[in-house]
Amino acid sequence: MSRMSREDQPVAEVVDLGPLASSLGFLFRMGQIEVFDMFYDTVGRLGLKPGEFSVLWAVHLNPGVRQGAVAETLRIKPAHMTKLIRSFESQGLIARHIPAEDRRGIELRLTDLGEAFVNDNAQAFFSYARQEANRLTPEEAAQLIALLQKFTRLGGTP
Amino acid sequence: MSRMSREDQPVAEVVDLGPLASSLGFLFRMGQIEVFDMFYDTVGRLGLKPGEFSVLWAVHLNPGVRQGAVAETLRIKPAHMTKLIRSFESQGLIARHIPAEDRRGIELRLTDLGEAFVNDNAQAFFSYARQEANRLTPEEAAQLIALLQKFTRLGGTP
DNA sequence: AGAAATTAGTTTACAAGGAAACAGTATTCT
DNA sequence: AGAATACTGTTTCCTTGTAAACTAATTTCT
């Protein structure tokens, strides 16, 4: 019989990580993987990927936004953004519009279909967030979010 | 003149993110990107990638560990782990050894070259971690690390 | 002992994301 | 006006990481 952790994972061997286990970068990575797993167990089954949904969400909240602005805010690289937007366009979720004043930029809007999709899924998308923090007390979760916002400079109106 | 933030980035347009900016998954992603940028500005120039170094580090601290155990701990998928280890082997940094008792597993050890590499770079690798947290007070940084460890279950001897 | 199941790692085939070079549009500067 | 510069998005190629099917070794179950 191999050792089992109480919950799920077989723990074959304990691997000591030393100071790595206190390194911010490593912990962010682990946290993200953890959240991603939870996300998949709950919401992700049917075509709702975090990165993609966040783009739709940003366009939903900022109709007419230029695609570069979304990319910069979500820190998606332009090359990747082009692919995402083109894909959304071909799925009929986003409409691209080149304004006459400045034909370089591209204004983005959700189509009716896109709006419907976001409205249908926003609830589920954001509710997994509560689930995911159940290893922390509500106070700890709030504190963690506040610290992350400060670190990433995404604080509410600083 | 387009609007500039005081520091570096041109802020063409403010994109409202609503509750997304308070979502753990999103914040982890942003945090990781942020750390990665800092890492690159300081250490990453010469062939020191976070993921790869963390594997070498884990083997360094746990000589003879099986490759699957490292993969599980660092949450690297087996397929990817195979590639990483093979690459390290071909670079002469890691030696693989198949023990006679169980010829399925593979024990990993750093070669002398691998040990030298880790010893040469560990200092730099872990010191960027202090740098990266300079948006937070030392207390906040410690608190953030503690919360992340609790969330990811990597807490020190729980 | 021999079949079935489990474990560990590998291979293949692909998706996600990024860097660098590029193309079209607008602005600036003589 | 025309040349040089800056801005915005796209294309091409490459790296990183994953899923699923596979091979080999070991354990379990009759």
Side-chain angles (χ1 to χ4, degrees):
Chain A
M1 179 195 74
S2 78
R3 280 171 288 170
M4 290 285 198
S5 71
R6 197 176 46 71
E7 295 272 314
D8 28 298
Q9 255 82 6
V11 175
E13 241 172 297
V14 174
V15 179
D16 177 26
L17 297 180
L20 183 62
S22 302
S23 128
L24 263 192
F26 179 70
L27 288 167
F28 281 147
R29 181 180 134 80
M30 300 303 263
Q32 202 180 354
I33 292 173
E34 204 71 40
V35 170
F36 197 76
D37 284 354
M38 295 180 190
F39 183 85
Y40 249 73
D41 291 345
T42 61
V43 188
R45 316 275 190 179
L46 254 180
L48 198 55
K49 299 182 198 167
E52 296 179 1
F53 189 81
S54 66
V55 172
L56 292 176
W57 178 254
V59 177
H60 167 72
L61 284 190
N62 304 271
V65 72
R66 280 175 312 100
Q67 106 179 27
V70 175
E72 193 185 318
T73 303
L74 300 181
R75 308 209 50 176
I76 294 169
K77 292 289 185 297
H80 185 37
M81 196 65 179
T82 295
K83 292 181 199 165
L84 287 174
I85 296 300
R86 290 306 174 105
S87 161
F88 287 140
E89 192 184 25
S90 78
Q91 293 171 69
L93 296 173
I94 277 189
R96 306 184 324 136
H97 171 247
I98 299 178
E101 320 87 76
D102 187 337
R103 298 172 40 73
R104 290 172 306 184
I106 297 184
E107 294 180 354
L108 302 177
R109 292 196 146 67
L110 295 186
T111 61
D112 290 351
L113 185 60
E115 287 289 349
F117 181 82
V118 167
N119 287 330
D120 285 354
N121 293 107
Q123 162 75 37
F125 183 83
F126 288 113
S127 68
Y128 91 97
R130 275 151 248 158
Q131 194 69 350
E132 80 199 1
N134 62 5
R135 291 175 188 173
L136 303 177
T137 68
E139 294 76 24
E140 286 172 333
Q143 206 168 33
L144 176 55
I145 287 171
L147 288 168
L148 287 168
Q149 285 178 331
K150 184 169 180 190
F151 182 75
T152 60
R153 299 175 166 160
L154 283 167
T157 63
Chain B
M1 179 194 75
S2 79
R3 282 171 286 170
M4 291 285 197
S5 71
R6 196 177 45 73
E7 293 273 314
D8 28 298
Q9 256 80 7
V11 176
E13 239 171 298
V14 175
V15 179
D16 176 27
L17 297 180
L20 184 61
S22 303
S23 130
L24 264 192
F26 179 69
L27 288 167
F28 281 147
R29 181 180 135 79
M30 299 303 263
Q32 203 180 354
I33 292 172
E34 204 71 40
V35 170
F36 197 76
D37 284 355
M38 295 180 190
F39 183 85
Y40 250 72
D41 291 345
T42 61
V43 189
R45 317 277 189 176
L46 253 182
L48 198 56
K49 299 183 197 167
E52 295 179 1
F53 189 82
S54 65
V55 171
L56 292 176
W57 178 253
V59 176
H60 167 72
L61 284 191
N62 304 270
V65 71
R66 280 175 312 101
Q67 107 178 27
V70 175
E72 194 185 316
T73 303
L74 299 181
R75 308 208 50 174
I76 294 169
K77 293 289 185 296
H80 186 35
M81 197 64 180
T82 295
K83 289 183 200 166
L84 288 174
I85 297 300
R86 291 304 174 107
S87 161
F88 287 139
E89 193 184 24
S90 78
Q91 291 171 73
L93 296 173
I94 276 189
R96 307 185 323 136
H97 172 245
I98 299 178
E101 323 84 74
D102 187 337
R103 299 171 39 73
R104 291 172 304 184
I106 296 184
E107 295 180 353
L108 301 178
R109 291 196 148 66
L110 295 187
T111 60
D112 290 349
L113 186 60
E115 288 290 348
F117 181 81
V118 167
N119 288 330
D120 284 354
N121 293 106
Q123 162 76 37
F125 183 83
F126 289 113
S127 69
Y128 88 96
R130 276 151 248 158
Q131 194 68 350
E132 81 200 1
N134 62 5
R135 292 174 189 173
L136 304 176
T137 67
E139 294 76 26
E140 286 172 334
Q143 204 168 34
L144 176 56
I145 287 171
L147 288 169
L148 287 169
Q149 285 177 331
K150 183 169 181 190
F151 181 75
T152 58
R153 298 173 166 161
L154 283 168
T157 64

